[in-house]
Amino acid sequence: MAEELVLERCDLELEANGRDHHTIDLCQQRLVVRRGQPFRLTLHFEGRNYEASVDSLTFSAVTGPAPSKEAGTKARFPLSEAVEEGAWTASVVDQQDRALSLQLSSPAHAPIGLYRLSLEVSTGYQGSSFVLGHFTLLFNSWCPADAVYLDSDDERREYVLTQQGFIYQGSAKFIQSIPWNFGQFEDGILDICLMLLDVNPKFLKNGGRDCSRRGNPVYVGRVVSRMVNCNDDQGVLYGRWDNNYRDGVSPMFWIGSVDILRRWKNYGCQNVKYGQCWVFAAVACTVLRCLGIPTRVVTNYNSAHDQNSNLLIEYFRNEFGEIQGNKSEMIWNFHCWVESWMTRPDLQPGYEGWQAIDPTPQEKSEGTYCCGPVPVRAIKQGDLSTKYDAPFVFAEVNADVVDWIQQKDGSMHKSINRSLVVGLKISTKRVGRDEREDITHNYKYPEGSPEEREAFRKANHLNKLADKEESGVAMRIRVGQSMAMGSDFDVFAHITNNTTEDLTCRLLLCARTVSYNGVLGPECGTKDLLNLSLEAHSEKSIPLRILYEKYCDCLTESNLIKVRGLLVEQAANSYLLAERDIYLENPEIKIRVLGEPKQNRKLVAEVSLRNPLTMALEGCTFTVEGAGLTEEQKTVEIPHPVEGGQEAKVRVDLLPLHVGRHKLVVNFQSDKLKSVKGFRNVIIGPP
């Protein structure tokens, strides 16, 4: 009778599997593999090796708190030569001395998460079992049978593997790119992402069912959308928009997701203060990329927040054009969400591909603050019955705006406002390049096209289908070339009279600071011309001077000023409104890299910024981070004030751990100049 087969050890082949599964950064001390793709392991036996004629090997892989075969969270499978599609399999690759090299494969629809792998050995009547180890299974966009399969290698590299990127802010007329360190493969982040899934209310209610559904990226995307905000649960970020962030961190301060996710874990899953839309979206992007779902952050300019799904945002203004009353339905200067790539077997064909997921807590969906995933193509078609939350996302990019002006006698007059179009310049980072890509065409047909009208008909968007009133007088707000933070500058109301009559009008110009979500601050410039004469077929440009001393104390960290012009033609009782959001440019952060950038060799970054103001900056700090360049965020304070026109300069030590292209991301803070961002690409060579 053959002697018992005894396992000495199991080698999980971390390096080879990490390379094959694009998880090398995660496979330093553990096995992380992608589903639907074979991975290697080697069994080392004591005494003798495996003999197919006498030994029987059976493996088991289990995940979740209540593993079951029916739920897909428990699999038992024998060592076999037959490779079965869509099932867990194990087969022999090589056999030498007392070592048995095996190839194991998981189904492309298996639930993701942490698995325990064990082995049962039976020889005749003898049997024993061994725990081979644990591994983490991720979604696999390299596997054609996986629901998140992407057929472009460049896109997979960008949307799954790239650990840094840009988020677009500013205004539609001045798009500002903010560098961001996603850091999805940084130390401890995968564990935090799995913990995020394990504290979600659906897991706490029924852990076995929740884990069984983790094979579906639609389900996982929806859970992540819910868990990045903390409105209903132990989610990551607390949203705040009132410019009062003293008991936390200003949303504009963050430069990456890693610090936020680590704080959440270290606080014992208590929320991190504070987030706004791009922070929610960036953290969701980190989590989804880490789990293997291709994801990108997108920004929509002039984004509507439509609470009652009537696709209409109505502003009620007094005779001076000022908005009256507390307004919860707003047009945000910009709003960020994420798109994730997946199939939608739960929907009609054609709705696979990019799905919008919005983790910013705005409206409840099925009782909780989450939004999506909804196919971007369904938004374009105006198909609002599509799961999940199509009406809200459709309104974000398509709502109509109506301005009502209330006169002294209480009567309401509709104003013509040509300057505000909802859903402009929808932006994301271009694949493989530090540039913006405009993806508006994915959400909307060309304006005025028959396809656009058909989408509006399908969405029952009656307001957009109505003919617009035409006016012989037009007005728009124009600006100079560049408006730098700290400068005084002019803006202009440019008025065109295309009628055959001379007109006398009243022009009210007003500039106010504004938060990115449309909430107005104090005035920083006004002009009221009671009798402005406009000759027939003529143009006029009326300047409004905006002074730094007027805006310096009330500008929010968004650096935005809203300029509004109201042209009133009393004789015809007509009102013409024009608005423009102005972004004030921050000074440039300069970054020099000193030394030869090589793996595991100390490197120094010299970071500097010139004070653009005439007065001194106090409390100056530079904060830097970058996946593969720093293990954690580093902050350097400047102990003395930096006088007007002078340079703030510090040096930061870096220790690059990984070869390749990385981004060093920088934030500068001071008392009068806040949340200034900069970055530098650094290519690290082998040692």
Side-chain angles (χ1 to χ4, degrees), residues 4 46 318 514 558 600:
E4 191 177 357
E46 291 176 7
N318 65 15
V514 63
S558 313
N600 296 324

Side-chain angles (χ1 to χ4, degrees), residues 624-676:
V624 305
E625 68 175 81
L629 295 171
T630 60
E631 284 199 338
E632 54 189 14
Q633 213 177 60
K634 296 187 172 191
T635 298
V636 183
E637 295 179 12
I638 297 176
H640 50 81
V642 176
E643 297 299 326
Q646 295 303 302
E647 203 171 40
K649 187 187 285 187
V650 299
R651 287 188 170 189
V652 186
D653 291 338
L654 309 174
L655 185 64
L657 297 176
H658 301 290
V659 172
R661 188 168 181 262
H662 305 283
K663 266 189 183 60
L664 188 69
V665 182
V666 181
N667 180 68
F668 173 82
Q669 290 289 114
S670 67
D671 61 337
K672 299 180 189 70
L673 197 57
K674 293 182 167 69
S675 304
V676 184

